[in-house]
């Protein structure tokens, strides 16, 4: 690569990264408060030319990855350096590298979009391949990001038994903060999935709620099984 070509590559990378300062908060707020619109938008954008996709937001898988990285930092802040150091010591060796840990955590939270997308294609009787799977998976990444962030925070509070937190003048154990966050997050995520299945499949709200709840349950089962296996190997 010539020198000018290298400069143009650096320019593109720098612009892309610094633009996240605007586009990431915008994407997150839209995903949180207008999730159905974002899920439909993710699907529509894949019909555009690759250079014109997601011009006003962040690419969905990249958005999920950035959110998981932020969630990890927030979790470490809640737990404190001593708890983080102990958790690192107890982790399998390959997860002690922060890059591997980030990729593994992003992989765990990507299982939910994958299973929900597969369920959608199965109910629509569409053959599952990379082409058919990509649109629903990209749609799901937008809502998986807030879901992952809130879950990370909730688990950090619930696993922190070192001290109590002061909220509105009263002190609470971490579980009394984390568990309600977890329940609210799960309720929000389930409602969004039920609405998504209802729109995409044209079914009743009862049936779409059942499909969504069962798919999320499968996500919990698969991710919990993987985490238990990893913990056993640690």
């Amino acid at each position: 690569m010539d020198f000018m070509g290298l400069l143009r590559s650096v320019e593109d990378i720098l612009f892309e990264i610094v633009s996240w300062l605007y586009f990431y908060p915008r994407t997150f707020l839209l995903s949180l408060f207008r999730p159905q619109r974002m899920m439909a938008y993710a699907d529509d954008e894949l019909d555009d030319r690759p250079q014109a996709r997601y011009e006003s937001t962040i690419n969905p898988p990249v958005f999920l990855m950035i959110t998981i990285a932020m969630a990890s930092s927030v979790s470490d802040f809640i737990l404190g350096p001593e708890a983080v150091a102990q958790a690192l010591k107890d982790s399998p060796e390959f997860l002690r590298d922060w890059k591997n840990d980030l990729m593994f955590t992003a992989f765990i939270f990507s299982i939910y979009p994958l299973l929900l997308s597969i369920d959608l294609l199965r109910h629509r009787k569409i053959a599952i391949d990379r082409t058919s799977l990509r649109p629903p998976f990209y749609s799901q990444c937008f809502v998986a990001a807030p879901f992952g962030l809130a879950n990370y925070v909730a688990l950090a509070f619930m696993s922190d038994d070192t001290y109590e937190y002061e909220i509105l003048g009263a002190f609470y154990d971490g579980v009394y903060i984390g568990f309600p966050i977890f329940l609210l997050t799960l309720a929000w995520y389930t409602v969004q999935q039920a609405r998504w299945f209802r729109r995409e499949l044209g079914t009743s709200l009862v049936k779409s709620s059942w499909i969504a709840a069962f798919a999320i349950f499968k996500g919990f089962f698969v991710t919990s099984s993987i985490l238990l296996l990893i913990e056993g190997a640690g």
Side-chain angles (χ1 to χ4, degrees):
M1 180 182 293
D2 60 26
F3 181 69
M4 292 306 297
L6 178 62
L7 282 181
R8 280 192 290 271
S9 297
V10 171
E11 175 187 345
D12 290 341
I13 294 171
L14 180 60
F15 174 75
E16 181 64 26
I17 293 175
V18 78
S19 70
W20 291 351
L21 293 174
Y22 172 77
F23 289 115
Y24 178 81
R26 183 178 191 275
T27 305
F28 188 88
L29 291 173
L30 287 171
S31 298
L32 183 61
F33 294 110
R34 296 182 179 178
Q36 297 302 312
R37 171 182 163 185
M38 291 298 284
M39 295 170 86
Y41 161 79
D43 198 342
D44 293 341
E45 285 293 293
L46 287 175
D47 293 332
D48 292 344
R49 292 178 297 102
Q51 297 85 349
R53 292 173 184 169
Y54 307 107
E55 283 288 286
S56 60
T57 61
I58 293 179
N59 177 286
V62 175
F63 172 61
L64 177 59
M65 180 75 76
I66 296 173
T67 304
I68 293 304
M70 292 180 59
S72 179
S73 299
V74 173
S75 175
D76 290 349
F77 176 78
I78 293 170
L79 291 171
E82 293 183 4
V84 172
Q86 184 60 46
L88 196 63
K89 188 182 298 183
D90 297 336
S91 299
E93 186 172 350
F94 83 96
L95 290 180
R96 294 174 189 173
D97 183 284
W98 69 270
K99 296 184 292 296
N100 293 341
D101 183 59
L102 173 60
M103 289 300 298
F104 176 74
T105 307
F107 162 76
I108 288 294
F109 281 105
S110 295
I111 289 174
Y112 293 94
L114 176 66
L115 293 178
L116 287 154
S117 300
I118 289 174
D119 272 13
L120 176 70
L121 295 178
R122 283 180 56 250
H123 281 89
R124 294 176 68 177
K125 296 180 171 55
I126 296 175
I128 299 172
D129 55 33
R130 285 181 172 82
T131 301
S132 63
L133 190 60
R134 189 181 298 273
F137 180 81
Y138 272 47
S139 295
Q140 284 292 328
C141 283
F142 276 133
V143 291
F147 175 69
L149 174 61
N151 265 288
Y152 228 118
V153 171
L155 289 172
F157 276 119
M158 287 191 283
S159 63
D160 182 18
D161 56 4
T162 55
Y163 61 96
E164 295 182 330
Y165 295 86
E166 183 179 4
I167 297 179
L168 300 176
F171 288 89
Y172 298 90
D173 188 82
V175 70
Y176 293 108
I177 302 173
F179 193 61
I181 294 174
F182 171 76
L183 288 180
L184 285 172
T185 303
L186 181 59
W188 177 85
Y189 193 59
T190 305
V191 167
Q192 301 311 322
Q193 299 307 331
R195 293 178 63 192
W196 184 65
F197 278 115
R198 186 183 185 186
R199 186 186 74 238
E200 294 292 330
L201 299 176
T203 62
S204 67
L205 182 59
V206 173
K207 184 174 181 179
S208 64
S209 298
W210 163 250
I211 295 171
F214 187 56
I216 293 170
F217 170 77
K218 288 188 290 185
F220 274 115
F221 179 79
V222 172
T223 54
S224 298
S225 299
I226 294 173
L227 291 172
L228 286 173
L229 288 173
I230 293 296
E231 185 178 339

